[in-house]
């Protein structure tokens, strides 16, 4: 609470007249604080040296002195051999040493140590005790511990907490005297020793002696602290009477703080709850016992080597360096923030390059003649012969059939009319029945056709008219052709490559958002944000570094777009106006998407949940309106598509980049279909519906 790690529920506290509830005062306190929290708040992928370098920069140590400071602190906490090891590879005791080293780096004037020796082996604990005794000169150290001997050895003043309340505060001698605990007199006696006689002897010299325990050959007494001056007379008398009383040996020891603690627990159970706090008075005299003088007060917090703007710049650079290392050493972050967006960009533009649009071609005319359905007499084609019925059976009709055979190279099946019917003969595509012919005059002709042959009737007419013409002019010809109606398109038409490019490019930039939010959630989940804050990093410095680091990462796929677009020669991004609006859309969305990531990060408490759920949510939110716009715009309901586009831009921010790219492509498609040249100003016309994606993002950012 004194460091601001936990806000006070009520009231306040002051350190050197600086109020911990005042933000500016609290930042001044933090600038000179060294803090070792109860739990090790460390970056798993950082080495010991990198941790100390980080906090040395934050605390304002001059860059020229950082290396020497780190080496000295590592030697102090006995971590020199583990200097290059990552925090995740250290043992529990070594991680605790690193936390203490972080608290000591930068020579802070106020040091808060929350159970610093927890998890350490006895040798390491003793080593740390010696270090703290050496470092406490000129500093104020607040240490919490459950080891009573640790508090007794290290602390000049001890304060006991019981059930969330401060029960007492003072030096060891004061506390032991205050709660009726002084010295322990322990004796080893013979089996026939009369304990009552021994007690009477002791009480004759010191009346307040109390028998604590008598068990077997051991007898224990408590002697008040105030009677220490009578010890010499008591011990002399014991030496004289020891043989007569059956005393083999005896010894005196000081009461421990653990006994004080147990006594306080007993009192708290017996007494009613009280708010009284027992304190140490510097002018009190305790039966001639010399009470240690209070620790010399710290009159100032001192000054960092760097202050003001220089310190802020150093912290900012250091926080950027943290983000760089976290991205480089975390495969998941590296994949989500660097590789995946760039892979999606490259894939989208490659697909656009591979899947080209099929150009809309006007239909070609179809030439219609008998050879379309009748097999040639000279070259088999798999078609059927020309079915002919001769109703006159004259030399004129036979001459006509020979013309068809010889001049037109048609294979004929000739039958007498009235003998066979078409149902009795094999199927044919085309047939002619000659009813009346006189010389070269065809008076009556019947055309027989198969409705599966679409152009059989005009082919037969072409044969007859060509035959009549040849009777008068052998070199002339009549040609028949069919020209289908041109294809009339309805709605917008895109090739599959352009749509896939739109899909992948949009996903590339949307996928970055969950990874940005995940990093912020991880800082909060592991309480690393709190560790940085209580070490002196201000609100502005922390969030400015986060924002700057995210911008740098966002710029990587953006720069890649600038390289890929000219290289791939995308048809819809070939004009300067299209490229410019495309880059403008991606650039202006950059600060907005980063702010969106910061806001969404506060919804989650765990990084894994944030990355997985936020990715699915953003993709769904972006693609659902895009699919609706695509479907409606390609099915002649463009007005409905535009309405959805505007509504989605307002209420669904992840859609904006997809909608913006789609309408850039749409402007080009309309221009190509209309045969018009697109200018840069066309993209910013309201009726082209792209400008809304720029204006709304600007409003959101503001």
């Amino acid at each position: 609470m004194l460091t601001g790690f936990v806000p006070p529920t009520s009231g306040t506290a002051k350190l050197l007249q600086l109020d911990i509830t005042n933000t500016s005062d609290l930042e001044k306190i933090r600038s000179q604080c060294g803090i070792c929290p109860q739990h090790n708040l460390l970056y798993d992928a950082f080495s010991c040296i990198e941790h100390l370098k980080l906090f040395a920069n934050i605390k304002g140590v001059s860059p020229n002195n950082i290396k020497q400071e780190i080496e000295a602190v590592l030697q102090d906490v006995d971590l020199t051999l583990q200097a290059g090891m990552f925090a995740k590879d250290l043992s529990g005791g070594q991680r605790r040493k690193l936390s203490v080293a972080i608290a000591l780096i930068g020579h802070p004037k106020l040091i808060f140590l929350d159970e610093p020796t927890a998890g350490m082996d006895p040798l390491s604990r003793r080593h740390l005790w010696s270090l703290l005794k050496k470092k406490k000169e000129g500093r104020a150290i607040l240490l919490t511990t459950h080891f009573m001997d640790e508090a007794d050895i290290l602390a000049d003043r001890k304060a006991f907490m019981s059930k969330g309340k401060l029960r007492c505060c003072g030096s060891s001698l004061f506390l032991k005297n205050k709660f009726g605990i002084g010295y322990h007199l322990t004796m080893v006696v013979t089996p026939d020793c009369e304990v009552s006689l021994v007690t009477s002897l002791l009480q004759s010299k010191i009346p307040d002696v109390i028998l604590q325990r008598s068990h077997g050959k051991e007898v224990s007494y408590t002697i008040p602290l105030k009677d220490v001056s009578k010890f010499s007379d008591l011990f002399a008398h014991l030496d004289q009477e020891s043989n007569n009383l059956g005393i083999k040996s005896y010894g005196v020891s000081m009461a421990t703080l653990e006994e004080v603690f147990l006594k306080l627990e007993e009192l708290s159970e017996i007494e009613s709850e009280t708010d009284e706090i027992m304190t140490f008075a510097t002018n009190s005299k305790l039966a001639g016992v010399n009470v240690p003088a209070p620790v010399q007060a710290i009159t100032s917090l001192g000054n960092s080597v760097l202050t003001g703007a220089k310190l802020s710049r150093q912290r900012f650079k250091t926080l950027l360096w943290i983000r760089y290392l976290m991205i480089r050493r975390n495969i998941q972050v590296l994949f989500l923030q660097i590789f995946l967006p760039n892979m999606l960009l490259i894939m989208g533009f490659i697909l656009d390059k591979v899947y080209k649009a099929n150009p809309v071609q006007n239909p070609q005319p179809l030439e219609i003649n008998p050879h379309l359905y009748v097999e040639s007499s000279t070259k088999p084609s798999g078609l059927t012969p020309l079915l002919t019925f001769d109703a006159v059976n004259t030399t004129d009709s036979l001459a006509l059939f020979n013309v068809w055979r010889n001049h037109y190279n048609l294979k004929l099946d000739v039958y007498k009319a009235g003998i066979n019917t078409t149902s009795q003969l094999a199927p044919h595509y085309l047939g002619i029945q000659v009813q009346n012919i006189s010389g070269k005059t065809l008076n009556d002709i019947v055309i027989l056709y198969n409705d599966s042959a679409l152009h059989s009737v005009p082919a037969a007419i072409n044969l007859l008219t060509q035959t009549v013409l040849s009777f008068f002019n052998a070199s002339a010809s009549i040609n028949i052709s069919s020209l289908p109606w041109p294809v009339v398109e309805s709605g917008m038409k895109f090739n599959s490559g352009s749509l896939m490019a739109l899909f992948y490019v949009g996903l590339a930039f949307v996928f970055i958002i969950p990874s940005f939010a995940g990093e912020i959630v991880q800082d909060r989940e592991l309480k690393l944000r709190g560790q940085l804050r209580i070490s002196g990093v201000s609100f502005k410095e922390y969030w400015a570094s986060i924002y700057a680091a995210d911008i740098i990462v966002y710029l990587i796929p953006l720069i890649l777009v600038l390289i890929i677009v000219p290289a791939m020669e995308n048809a819809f991004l070939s004009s300067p106006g299209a490229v410019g609006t495309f880059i403008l859309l991606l650039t202006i969305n950059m600060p907005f998407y980063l702010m969106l990531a910061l806001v969404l990060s506060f919804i989650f408490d765990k990084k894994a949940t944030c990355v997985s759920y936020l990715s699915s949510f953003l993709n769904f939110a972006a693609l659902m309106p895009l699919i609706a716009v695509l479907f409606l715009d390609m099915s002649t309901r463009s007005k409905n598509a535009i309405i959805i586009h505007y509504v989605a831009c307002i209420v669904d921010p992840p859609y904006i980049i997809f909608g913006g790219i789609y309408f850039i492509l749409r402007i080009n498609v309309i221009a190509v279909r209309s045969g018009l040249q697109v200018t840069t100003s066309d993209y910013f016309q309201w009726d082209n519906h792209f400008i809304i994606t720029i204006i709304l993002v600007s409003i959101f950012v503001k």
Side-chain angles (χ1 to χ4, degrees):
M1 192 176 296
L2 292 176
T3 63
F5 196 81
V6 178
T9 54
S10 62
T12 185
K14 290 186 177 181
L15 295 175
L16 297 178
Q17 305 305 315
L18 297 175
D19 193 337
I20 66 169
T21 60
N22 183 288
T23 304
S24 59
D25 285 355
L26 187 58
E27 289 187 2
K28 293 178 183 178
I29 294 172
R30 287 172 175 169
S31 65
Q32 290 299 319
C33 280
I35 301 165
C36 173
Q38 182 179 10
H39 302 287
N40 300 313
L41 305 181
L42 305 173
Y43 294 91
D44 286 344
F46 282 26
S47 67
C48 297
I49 291 179
E50 288 168 344
H51 275 94
L52 295 176
K53 181 180 178 181
L54 161 62
F55 287 97
N57 279 294
I58 288 175
K59 293 179 181 180
V61 178
S62 173
N64 298 329
N65 300 329
I66 287 179
K67 184 177 180 181
Q68 294 85 342
E69 286 269 351
I70 292 173
E71 291 175 353
V73 172
L74 286 174
Q75 187 173 1
D76 285 341
V77 298
D78 194 24
L79 278 180
T80 304
L81 297 179
Q82 293 79 27
M85 292 178 62
F86 289 159
K88 63 181 179 181
D89 298 325
L90 298 175
S91 66
Q94 290 169 343
R95 291 167 68 91
R96 205 72 195 128
K97 290 180 182 179
L98 179 56
S99 296
V100 174
I102 290 172
L104 296 177
I105 195 77
H107 303 289
K109 295 298 182 181
L110 296 173
I111 300 176
F112 296 87
L113 305 175
D114 193 354
E115 300 185 30
T117 59
M120 288 188 183
D121 59 82
L123 180 61
S124 298
R125 185 179 297 119
R126 293 284 177 177
H127 177 80
L128 184 58
W129 290 355
S130 300
L131 173 64
L132 294 179
K133 290 174 72 174
K134 182 178 67 173
K135 293 289 185 180
K136 72 179 184 180
E137 183 177 355
R139 295 182 177 88
I141 300 178
L142 179 63
L143 180 146
T144 65
T145 182
H146 286 101
F147 297 107
M148 296 299 108
D149 53 346
E150 181 173 275
D152 204 1
I153 292 171
L154 295 178
D156 296 294
R157 296 174 184 171
K158 293 84 176 172
F160 283 87
M161 299 286 293
S162 178
K163 298 182 179 179
K165 293 185 178 181
L166 180 63
R167 306 301 299 176
C168 62
C169 179
S171 67
S172 295
L173 290 176
F174 168 76
L175 295 174
K176 292 171 184 178
N177 180 75
K178 182 72 178 179
F179 294 97
I181 302 174
Y183 292 90
H184 291 290
L185 176 61
T186 306
M187 299 179 180
V188 179
V189 299
T190 59
D192 57 351
C193 174
E194 292 289 341
V195 176
S196 58
L197 295 177
V198 176
T199 304
S200 298
L201 173 64
L202 296 176
Q203 290 178 346
S204 66
K205 300 298 180 182
I206 303 176
D208 293 331
V209 169
I210 299 173
L211 175 65
Q212 288 289 322
R213 185 180 68 246
S214 176
H215 181 73
K217 297 182 179 181
E218 185 176 302
V219 181
S220 178
Y221 294 90
T222 300
I223 304 175
L225 187 65
K226 63 183 177 63
D227 294 321
V228 67
S229 60
K230 301 176 183 179
F231 278 8
S232 60
D233 186 35
L234 175 65
F235 294 157
H237 202 68
L238 279 176
D239 289 340
Q240 293 175 3
E241 300 295 332
S242 59
N243 292 331
N244 299 329
L245 296 174
I247 300 172
K248 292 184 177 181
S249 62
Y250 66 88
V252 178
S253 63
M254 191 73 173
T256 63
L257 282 180
E258 185 173 349
E259 292 173 298
V260 174
F261 179 76
L262 294 174
K263 183 71 173 181
L264 285 169
E265 287 298 310
E266 291 177 7
L267 292 175
S268 65
E269 293 293 336
I270 298 172
E271 298 175 356
S272 59
E273 291 188 5
T274 177
D275 293 332
E276 179 186 358
I277 299 176
M278 291 159 283
T279 58
F280 168 72
T282 58
N283 58 357
S284 62
K285 296 182 179 179
L286 302 177
V289 178
N290 295 323
V291 181
V295 180
Q296 184 179 359
I298 298 176
T299 57
S300 69
L301 290 174
N303 295 311
S304 299
V305 177
L306 298 180
T307 58
K310 290 185 178 180
L311 178 58
S312 295
R313 282 195 298 270
Q314 179 165 298
R315 287 175 176 172
F316 181 77
K317 292 178 182 178
T318 302
L319 294 173
L320 284 181
W321 172 70
I322 292 176
R323 294 294 154 190
Y324 164 72
L325 290 182
M326 291 176 68
I327 293 174
R328 196 185 73 178
R329 294 176 180 175
N330 190 321
I331 296 178
Q332 182 184 13
V333 175
L334 196 65
F335 177 76
L336 290 177
Q337 292 189 3
I338 306 298
F339 292 114
L340 182 59
N342 295 326
M343 287 169 55
L344 290 172
L345 279 175
I346 295 172
M347 189 179 302
F349 283 106
I350 288 177
L351 290 174
D352 180 60
K353 190 74 174 177
V354 172
Y355 293 96
K356 291 295 183 182
N358 294 323
V360 178
Q361 298 178 349
N362 290 325
Q364 298 299 315
L366 174 66
E367 185 178 351
I368 300 174
N369 57 59
H371 289 286
L372 193 60
Y373 298 110
V374 179
E375 186 173 0
S376 172
S377 60
T378 58
K379 185 178 180 182
S381 58
L383 299 174
T384 61
L386 176 64
L387 178 63
T388 57
F389 287 100
D390 189 357
V392 294
N393 194 24
T394 63
T395 56
D396 292 335
S397 62
L398 294 176
L400 176 64
F401 296 153
N402 288 329
V403 170
W404 289 347
R405 287 191 185 97
N406 301 324
H407 185 72
Y408 294 105
N409 297 325
L410 298 177
K411 185 177 181 181
L412 273 62
D413 284 344
V414 182
Y415 296 94
K416 296 289 184 180
I419 300 176
N420 300 100
T421 63
T422 55
S423 60
Q424 296 174 332
L425 302 173
H428 292 73
Y429 289 124
L430 188 63
I432 296 177
Q433 180 173 324
V434 180
Q435 294 288 103
N436 188 355
I437 183 173
S438 176
K440 295 182 179 182
T441 303
L442 302 177
N443 297 320
D444 190 1
I445 300 293
V446 178
I447 296 176
L448 306 173
Y449 70 95
N450 188 331
D451 58 6
S452 64
L454 186 61
H455 303 289
S456 56
V457 173
I461 293 175
N462 174 256
L463 175 61
L464 294 175
T465 55
Q466 187 75 16
T467 301
V468 173
L469 178 63
S470 66
F471 288 159
F472 302 96
N473 187 352
S475 60
S477 64
I478 298 175
N479 296 322
I480 299 178
S481 62
S482 174
L483 180 61
W485 288 102
V487 177
V488 178
E489 296 184 357
S490 60
M492 300 300 300
K493 297 296 181 182
F494 291 88
N495 70 78
S496 57
S498 296
L499 293 179
M500 283 188 284
L502 160 65
F503 177 77
Y504 283 112
V505 171
L507 283 182
F509 289 92
V510 171
F511 259 121
I512 302 179
I513 300 177
S515 63
F516 288 161
E519 293 304 300
I520 300 171
V521 174
Q522 183 183 41
D523 281 2
R524 192 168 62 250
E525 178 185 356
L526 301 178
K527 298 183 179 179
L528 299 175
R529 163 76 182 102
Q531 175 75 329
L532 293 174
R533 185 177 70 250
I534 61 179
S535 297
V537 176
S538 67
F539 176 89
K540 293 180 180 179
E541 290 167 345
Y542 176 78
W543 289 111
S545 66
I546 292 287
Y547 205 71
D550 291 348
I551 286 177
I552 294 173
V553 174
Y554 189 97
L555 285 174
I556 296 175
L558 187 58
I559 294 173
L560 188 63
V561 168
L562 296 176
I563 298 173
I564 291 178
V565 169
M568 291 294 184
E569 297 180 352
N570 183 281
F572 294 124
L573 295 176
S574 57
S575 66
V579 175
T581 51
F582 181 59
I583 300 301
L584 176 63
L585 175 69
L586 300 180
T587 304
I588 205 168
N589 269 276
M590 175 173 61
F592 170 64
Y593 274 2
L594 298 184
M595 290 181 64
L596 182 64
L598 301 185
V599 172
L600 294 177
S601 68
F602 291 97
I603 301 176
F604 302 93
D605 295 324
K606 295 189 178 296
K607 178 184 178 182
T609 306
C610 173
V611 173
S612 58
Y613 282 87
L614 193 56
S615 297
S616 302
F617 169 75
L618 292 177
N619 290 333
F620 180 83
L623 294 179
M624 286 300 101
L626 175 65
I627 293 172
V629 169
L630 286 172
F631 175 77
L632 294 173
D633 203 23
M634 292 183 182
S635 58
T636 69
R637 288 181 282 182
S638 296
K639 290 184 178 179
N640 295 335
I642 292 169
I643 291 173
I644 294 177
H645 169 66
Y646 275 83
V647 173
C649 285
I650 296 172
V651 302
D652 187 5
Y655 162 78
I656 291 177
I657 196 167
F658 286 89
I661 297 173
Y662 173 73
F663 277 88
I664 291 175
L665 300 181
R666 188 178 188 271
I667 294 169
N668 284 274
V669 169
I670 294 175
V672 170
R673 190 174 66 179
S674 305
L676 301 175
Q677 185 70 29
V678 182
T679 63
T680 303
S681 61
D682 291 335
Y683 294 96
F684 298 96
Q685 298 295 327
W686 276 105
D687 55 356
N688 285 328
H689 315 296
F690 168 76
I691 189 65
I692 186 67
T693 61
I694 303 297
I695 294 177
L696 278 180
V697 170
S698 303
I699 294 174
F700 286 145
V701 172
K702 291 180 180 179

